[in-house]
Amino acid sequence: MRSDFVANVSHELRSPLTALSGFIETLQGPAKDDADASDRFLTLMQAETGRMTRLIADLLNLSKVEGRQAARPTDEIELQRILARACTLVQQRADDADKVIRFDIPSELPSIRGDEDELVQLVQNLLENAVKYSAPGTAIDVSVTPDTRTPGISGPTLTVAVRDHGEGIAREHLPRLTERFYRVDDHRGRKSGGTGLGLAIVKHVVQRHRGRLHIESEVGKGSIFKVHLPIEG
């Protein structure tokens, strides 16, 4: 597993590094005095640098949450605040993609035991995926539902569901979605700026909170990601 992980990281970094090397070589040679070409290549270099920055940030976040796996969070957290913070981080991207984030949340919810920053990242990752893969002009629906019984969890839970109205995911891909660097559409995932680690981080945050992640999807009808979090510590 470690060998595969190193190979995947190397592969993910090799592409932007190769691109940057080529751009620099061009700017030092044929495009040295071409202002239009310089602007174009600098824009591309910025995008590739951003891609590597996101990858390294996600690797560090994944390592951090894995290192804390055995220690269950103990802070009292309000899910309304988690959702508000995550939505703020994603709102501009949703606006740019002509997509609306809609909420269906009860006015009163019990608090849960959790790590606020990790839960914000969890919701942010799910929202960003929904923005990437839903159809333009559609809505992303976010709901929170109290449940008295959830398989695998003793006691009541709060279920956070993020639903998109996109192309959907074929059934054979669903079991592998939380694997590191696994992408249903590799080219599209890279083009959209994804690192391939978002759902792996989601999985480990859910595990640290002793929750459950459930994914439902149907081709042509979109996807719904449900996170079940225990209310009681």
Side-chain angles (χ1 to χ4, degrees):
M1 288 178 62
R2 181 176 298 175
S3 177
D4 287 344
F5 181 65
V6 171
N8 280 322
V9 172
S10 299
H11 177 72
E12 293 292 331
L13 287 172
R14 185 181 299 116
S15 178
L17 284 172
T18 300
L20 284 171
S21 178
F23 295 148
I24 292 170
E25 183 177 342
T26 302
L27 288 173
Q28 290 176 331
K32 186 175 182 179
D33 299 316
D34 188 333
D36 291 338
S38 293
D39 288 342
R40 185 170 66 255
F41 282 120
L42 286 172
T43 299
L44 293 170
M45 290 169 71
Q46 185 179 37
E48 294 297 338
T49 303
R51 177 178 163 188
M52 288 191 291
T53 300
R54 289 190 297 273
L55 175 61
I56 291 169
D58 277 354
L59 285 169
L60 291 173
N61 287 328
L62 182 59
S63 176
K64 185 186 297 183
V65 72
E66 283 184 319
R68 297 175 176 176
Q69 205 72 41
R72 186 171 183 178
T74 57
D75 295 338
E76 283 200 7
I77 302 296
E78 294 181 357
L79 268 181
Q80 293 96 325
R81 186 168 70 246
I82 299 294
L83 295 172
R85 282 185 57 191
C87 184
T88 299
L89 295 170
V90 180
Q91 189 62 60
Q92 187 59 55
R93 188 172 299 181
D95 291 342
D96 292 342
D98 188 27
K99 297 166 188 178
V100 178
I101 302 176
R102 301 187 303 201
F103 290 93
D104 181 12
I105 305 173
S107 57
E108 295 185 7
L109 287 171
S111 59
I112 63 171
R113 299 286 182 179
D115 181 296
E116 182 166 334
D117 289 339
E118 289 183 3
L119 290 174
V120 168
Q121 185 173 32
L122 179 153
V123 177
Q124 180 184 354
N125 286 352
L126 293 180
L127 288 175
E128 287 180 344
N129 275 353
V131 170
K132 285 178 196 172
Y133 298 112
S134 58
T138 61
I140 293 141
D141 295 310
V142 182
S143 63
V144 179
T145 308
D147 291 308
T148 55
R149 295 183 63 183
T150 300
I153 301 178
S154 59
T157 63
L158 290 179
T159 298
V160 180
V162 177
R163 179 171 188 166
D164 67 61
H165 300 274
E167 298 175 3
I169 304 166
R171 185 181 300 274
E172 62 265 24
H173 294 293
L174 297 182
R176 301 191 61 188
L177 289 180
T178 58
E179 292 181 15
R180 300 168 181 174
F181 301 112
Y182 185 81
R183 297 181 178 94
V184 175
D185 184 338
D186 194 57
H187 175 72
R188 183 178 176 186
R190 293 174 192 275
K191 187 176 180 181
S192 66
T195 64
L197 293 172
L199 288 178
I201 293 173
V202 167
K203 178 185 73 173
H204 284 288
V205 171
V206 170
Q207 289 177 346
R208 186 179 179 227
H209 286 74
R210 307 304 188 263
R212 293 291 183 273
L213 173 65
H214 183 65
I215 304 171
E216 301 173 7
S217 189
E218 186 175 348
V219 174
K221 295 187 177 180
S223 307
I224 180 168
F225 290 76
K226 294 181 180 180
V227 176
H228 306 280
L229 298 169
I231 293 175
E232 300 172 354

